[in-house]
Amino acid sequence: MRRLFLSIGLFLVVLNSIASIQTVKTKAKNCEHRADSVVALMTLDEKIGQMVLLTSGADQTGPRMAVNDLEEIKAGRCGNIFNAHTVAYTRKLQEIAIEQTRLGIPLLFGFDVIHGHKTIFPISLGEAASWDMEAIEKSARIAATEAAASGLQWVFAPMVDIARDPRWGRISEGAGEDPFLGCRVAEARVHGFQDNDLSDPSTVLACVKHYAAYGAPQAGRDYSTVDMSERTLREVYLPPYKAAVDAGALSIMTSFNELDGVPSSGNPFLLKDILRKEWGFKGFVVTDYTSINEMVPHGIVANEKEAAGLAVNAGVEMDMQGSVYLKYLKQLISEGKVSEATINKAVRNILKIKFMLGLFDDPYRYCDKNREKQVVFSEENRKAAYDVACKSMVLLKNDKQVLPLAPGKSLAVIGPLADSTEDLLGSWHAAGTTEGVSSLLDNLKKSSGGKVSYAKGCDFSGNDTSGFAEALKIAEQADVVVLVLGEPCGWTGEAASRTSIDLPEIQTKLLQEIRKTNKPVVMVLMNGRPLALERETILVDAILETWYAGTSGGKAIADVLTGMYNPSGKLPVTFPRNLGQVPIFYSMKNTGRPYEKEGLEQKYRSRYIDSPNEPLFPFGFGMSYTRFGYSNLKLSSETLSKEGKLTIYVDLTNSGNYDGAEVVQLYVQDLVGSVTRPLKELKGFQKVFLKKGETRKVEFTLTEKELRFYRRDMSFGSEPGDFKVYVGGDSNATNIKGFRLKQ
Ligand code: BGC
């Protein structure tokens, strides 16, 4: 009888939701009420089950725990699943939840859709190098449509961790070193995933990660300690998470690291004070993989039961894969260590999202086999991936205009990455496979118009030089050598930190040998982190940074090399000369003893005795086959009032021989503050396409708002005084003007 009553209750709730979903966009408030009415029907065990996220057997992204997802789902002990995809498989699991549990609450399916689902786009660092927010949003939109068509409603992206240490393998998953660029990319990706309407079955719930400051582990070692001032945290590391929340992201993932001695999954300062109170976050918080359990080895709790209590009271609503909520929450409640009200609130936040996604309306709305067939890996999507891949490439050097390759030239294509398809996909390529992916070599054979010969030359690493002879032979016979070097894709991503950011010695040796042929050498790089390329840069004529360019990357690289596409990417992260310079980023401070190269006695200056201070390639840098010139930098006024706005004008001219796009960058320096300020901060950018010979006036506006920072007393605001603006094509921009912010 009770069962019947509950079923009728739930049925009414569901009917109720159908009505609302059929009207306009699902309103969060309505969904909250509906969630509350379901919470009222639930037993404590069922509530706890909704706070559990377990991996299915289909994929593995961390240490496997001893759970059987099917049994847990049946028992109502697991309300959410990750690492399951395809319509057939997710439907099977969803049927268990709907048909075999008492209340039939639908499962939420999540997956790591980091840079595409089946159609793989360039790695996120590469996408950020496009500085093209429309393209990035489109890439996320396509990833969302493919994920949603594969039975998923939730993606563990965007990863918005600012990263300034290239040793850290996960630098490849984010948008680089800068908070301003990081915020724009975060917003674009959230919009792409959620499209402002979770009730549309082609959208997915975004999950911002890894909150917070996961990108700053000591010595670049993954999962290591993070320790920084609150000012740096708030000014540099937090803004992209906040931008993603402001853009509407309704889930957020805690990070593995500790911050100021407290691991993120037990950190009420991060989860309550900042996320909920300051930012007004309305979604739910999920942990990273077993990160509640990991608070035991962190040494903040003595056992997993205490860990579960610490996490739930700190504001963590869903336990990814740790099973500690499953094991201990009930007991903690009975002992009075956790209140049932905390549980109710958490469950309501989770169910609210399930309502918003329309899962209570139709739990199988993401399980349409025809849609899956039509949408996933469609030709249209692969074309879009090609487009973004072209935009992501950064030309770092081009002496004597060796690029683009002149038609008909014979090419010697050499190197361990030249004929790879797997590596094009980069780390963490979700459901992506090499099926339908063609290598750079294949594409050059098709498009170069001249003879193409190939030799691998060497492996990624090791010291086997037996392939050198063949490589040298074909180099000698060719007009140009295209040398494809870098890292295999497994060298970046999670748990892939390196203590060296050099190219493996064997690859540099191969390059040194090839150089002896005196043929023009174009170095094509595939890698997921800044590399220290000082030696190599001297030896080659041209360098094209291609990151891991994705499903359609082989063609995109070939088309950039042959001039079908004029590169326009700019580095989203500084490329140091050597590891000793790390951390190095463009927005460093001046110090009390800046090294100025000339004038003063230089010994006791902030410098190295064995390396220049400057990086090899600065943040924002990237060349084109054409030339861009900047002139007539003007400000609308020499002063800016608190309510006013300042317009900055500059003329951009394409004075070269190709049509092309330039990313015009605006940097600001606050000369004197109550705390010291960075030498430069990015405050605006525009990607401008110009035909050859064309000149265009580019305009930026600045208001007092953009000049705010965390002042001496940690209040957020501006301070009157003198500022400089810098405009140009990279962070060394030399077009400079000054203005004064008035009281
Ligand atoms: C990673 C997350 C990922 C999760 C689920 C973790 O190891 O840090 O980024 O979303 O696994 O696969």
Side-chain angles (χ1 to χ4, degrees):
M1 186 61 198
R2 184 174 149 75
R3 199 188 151 93
L4 179 68
F5 173 74
L6 285 170
S7 307
I8 292 170
L10 188 65
F11 180 60
L12 290 177
V13 170
V14 169
L15 269 190
N16 217 356
S17 77
I18 293 171
S20 109
I21 285 159
Q22 279 163 351
T23 54
V24 266
K25 275 185 186 175
T26 312
K27 292 270 190 300
K29 265 274 162 254
N30 292 343
C31 291
E32 241 164 53
H33 292 319
R34 295 201 168 89
D36 279 337
S37 51
V38 177
V39 172
L41 303 172
M42 296 169 81
T43 64
L44 183 55
D45 286 322
E46 285 164 342
K47 289 177 194 170
I48 293 170
Q50 288 302 310
M51 297 169 71
V52 173
L53 168 64
L54 294 177
T55 182
S56 86
D59 206 344
Q60 183 162 359
T61 52
R64 176 85 79 226
M65 313 292 285
V67 287
N68 178 338
D69 47 45
L70 301 188
E71 288 312 313
E72 302 298 350
I73 297 168
K74 250 187 233 168
R77 286 156 62 82
C78 170
N80 316 280
I81 290 285
F82 70 118
N83 288 339
H85 60 95
T86 73
V87 164
Y89 189 45
T90 54
R91 184 172 187 113
K92 181 176 135 195
L93 300 182
Q94 193 68 291
E95 278 171 357
I96 298 174
I98 300 301
E99 289 165 22
Q100 300 188 39
T101 66
R102 191 179 72 97
L103 291 178
I105 296 175
L107 293 167
L108 177 67
F109 290 98
F111 197 44
D112 287 286
V113 177
I114 309 299
H115 52 111
H117 179 63
K118 173 94 176 154
T119 304
I120 300 302
F121 285 74
I123 54 166
S124 308
L125 191 63
E127 283 200 349
S130 74
W131 295 56
D132 184 329
M133 298 308 120
E134 243 174 69
I136 291 173
E137 180 170 336
K138 187 163 178 203
S139 150
R141 186 82 279 281
I142 288 171
T145 56
E146 289 198 357
S150 306
L152 299 159
Q153 304 87 36
W154 187 23
V155 292
F156 300 147
M159 188 280 218
V160 302
D161 304 320
I162 295 291
R164 294 176 162 186
D165 190 330
R167 290 172 294 188
W168 190 53
R170 300 195 82 170
I171 198 169
S172 60
E173 286 178 53
E177 73 182 43
D178 182 64
F180 184 88
L181 180 61
C183 286
R184 302 295 81 78
V185 173
E187 290 157 359
R189 300 196 72 207
V190 171
H191 289 144
F193 291 133
Q194 298 193 164
D195 207 18
N196 291 323
D197 185 3
L198 286 186
S199 73
D200 174 343
S202 78
T203 65
V204 289
L205 169 68
C207 184
V208 190
K209 68 189 193 184
H210 307 82
Y211 185 66
Y214 178 45
Q218 284 175 354
R221 203 180 71 222
D222 207 2
Y223 317 127
S224 189
T225 305
V226 175
D227 196 8
M228 64 176 65
S229 69
E230 189 180 334
R231 179 169 282 107
T232 299
L233 176 72
R234 286 184 179 273
E235 240 164 52
V236 178
Y237 288 85
L238 292 188
Y241 308 106
K242 171 152 193 313
V245 167
D246 289 347
L250 282 171
S251 74
I252 192 162
M253 189 186 290
T254 59
S255 55
F256 288 123
N257 56 283
E258 66 161 72
L259 188 65
D260 195 15
V262 185
S264 302
S265 295
N267 194 326
F269 169 65
L270 287 176
L271 301 177
K272 289 191 165 161
D273 299 349
I274 295 182
L275 183 64
R276 295 278 178 197
K277 288 190 202 134
E278 286 183 30
W279 299 353
F281 176 64
K282 297 273 188 294
F284 68 83
V285 177
V286 61
T287 66
D288 203 346
Y289 205 107
T290 64
S291 71
I292 304 182
N293 317 49
E294 290 165 25
M295 291 201 284
V296 179
H298 266 296
I300 192 102
V301 283
N303 54 51
E304 290 189 344
K305 183 176 157 195
E306 281 180 25
L310 182 64
V312 78
N313 286 329
V316 168
E317 286 144 323
M318 197 183 282
D319 169 10
M320 183 196 286
Q321 191 59 12
S323 296
V324 288
Y325 280 6
L326 209 47
K327 281 191 207 142
Y328 302 113
L329 278 190
K330 206 168 173 188
Q331 209 181 332
L332 286 162
I333 292 166
S334 71
E335 289 167 7
K337 292 187 176 130
V338 173
S339 75
E340 196 158 348
T342 302
I343 306 295
N344 289 344
K345 218 161 121 191
V347 177
R348 171 224 238 192
N349 279 343
I350 294 163
L351 293 187
K352 175 179 83 181
I353 307 286
K354 292 190 180 184
F355 271 106
M356 291 176 80
L357 288 160
L359 284 169
F360 277 94
D361 173 32
D362 174 4
Y364 305 112
R365 66 201 308 252
Y366 297 80
C367 297
D368 175 344
K369 280 203 163 155
N370 284 333
R371 174 155 71 117
E372 186 177 38
K373 219 188 258 161
Q374 276 163 18
V375 171
V376 177
F377 211 57
S378 68
E379 199 185 327
E380 195 188 338
N381 292 356
R382 279 177 282 144
K383 265 202 183 139
Y386 164 81
D387 190 47
V388 181
C390 289
K391 289 178 168 158
S392 71
M393 283 171 208
V394 187
L395 184 65
L396 293 173
K397 180 174 180 182
N398 195 17
D399 279 1
K400 294 183 236 131
Q401 302 223 309
V402 56
L403 288 178
L405 298 167
K409 292 256 179 199
S410 64
L411 305 178
V413 180
I414 298 170
L417 283 148
D419 198 23
S420 170
T421 49
E422 175 82 23
D423 293 293
L424 279 174
L425 301 181
S427 62
W428 223 318
H429 43 257
T433 64
T434 53
E435 193 195 318
V437 178
S438 54
S439 69
L440 170 58
L441 175 66
D442 283 344
N443 283 282
L444 279 175
K445 278 183 183 159
K446 274 185 228 147
S447 64
S448 86
K451 180 170 175 257
V452 175
S453 40
Y454 165 70
K456 188 172 173 195
C458 65
D459 280 331
F460 290 111
S461 52
N463 42 30
D464 181 1
T465 55
S466 61
F468 280 24
E470 176 65 14
L472 282 165
K473 193 171 118 202
I474 66 162
E476 260 148 18
Q477 290 162 359
D479 296 324
V480 182
V481 178
V482 177
L483 195 52
V484 194
L485 305 179
E487 304 175 298
C489 67
W491 284 20
T492 47
E494 188 174 353
S497 295
R498 291 183 64 194
T499 58
S500 159
I501 55 166
D502 293 340
L503 268 185
E505 197 56 32
I506 186 83
Q507 295 190 42
T508 306
K509 259 196 194 149
L510 175 66
L511 165 56
Q512 286 162 339
E513 290 305 310
I514 300 276
R515 174 74 286 169
K516 290 179 190 160
T517 63
N518 276 329
K519 296 291 165 120
V521 178
V522 175
M523 178 164 71
V524 173
L525 291 167
M526 294 186 194
N527 50 298
R529 57 162 58 80
L531 295 173
L533 299 163
E534 205 170 19
R535 284 187 301 171
E536 294 77 4
T537 300
I538 296 164
L539 293 177
V540 300
D541 301 282
I543 307 176
L544 183 69
E545 173 58 78
T546 71
W547 318 102
Y548 299 115
T551 297
S552 310
K555 177 167 164 52
I557 303 169
D559 285 357
V560 170
L561 292 174
T562 54
M564 295 283 292
Y565 188 91
N566 185 0
S568 58
K570 300 276 188 176
L571 294 178
V573 63
T574 303
F575 272 43
R577 289 172 190 275
N578 50 61
L579 187 58
Q581 292 183 315
V582 169
I584 180 170
F585 43 92
Y586 81 89
S587 58
M588 297 182 96
K589 303 282 186 80
N590 200 33
T591 81
R593 292 186 175 192
Y595 175 54
E596 276 149 12
K597 289 200 202 111
E598 10 191 90
L600 304 161
E601 202 263 297
Q602 295 302 325
K603 171 144 176 72
Y604 297 103
R605 297 269 138 196
S606 182
R607 58 177 297 213
Y608 300 103
I609 56 170
D610 59 354
S611 165
N613 283 359
E614 293 75 30
L616 188 60
F617 300 113
F619 174 84
F621 177 74
M623 300 164 72
S624 166
Y625 294 152
T626 194
R627 268 190 320 278
F628 290 102
Y630 289 78
S631 57
N632 298 327
L633 175 64
K634 283 197 189 102
L635 307 188
S636 58
S637 166
E638 284 176 0
T639 57
L640 171 64
S641 68
K642 277 223 156 155
E643 302 71 36
K645 69 175 194 206
L646 185 76
T647 311
I648 296 138
Y649 309 92
V650 74
D651 289 338
L652 178 72
T653 303
N654 178 349
S655 57
N657 292 322
Y658 299 83
D659 301 343
E662 165 76 334
V663 180
V664 182
Q665 299 159 46
L666 168 74
Y667 296 87
V668 171
Q669 182 186 12
D670 185 346
L671 298 184
V672 179
S674 59
V675 289
T676 59
R677 308 291 305 131
L679 276 170
K680 268 178 203 150
E681 290 176 282
L682 183 69
K683 293 291 178 186
F685 59 86
Q686 287 177 43
K687 194 158 185 172
V688 182
F689 180 84
L690 293 186
K691 295 222 163 278
K692 63 179 171 185
E694 196 183 344
T695 294
R696 185 160 333 145
K697 195 171 280 312
V698 179
E699 274 184 42
F700 292 96
T701 48
L702 273 181
T703 65
E704 176 272 336
K705 215 171 141 213
E706 280 83 53
L707 307 177
R708 295 180 189 169
F709 64 100
Y710 288 89
R711 296 176 289 205
R712 184 71 160 265
D713 61 359
M714 287 304 283
S715 61
F716 188 65
S718 61
E719 289 175 348
D722 290 330
F723 290 79
K724 272 188 190 167
V725 297
Y726 301 77
V727 179
D730 62 57
S731 56
N732 283 340
T734 47
N735 304 282
I736 308 170
K737 289 271 180 217
F739 72 92
R740 172 166 269 268
L741 176 66
K742 293 202 294 196
Q743 201 74 35

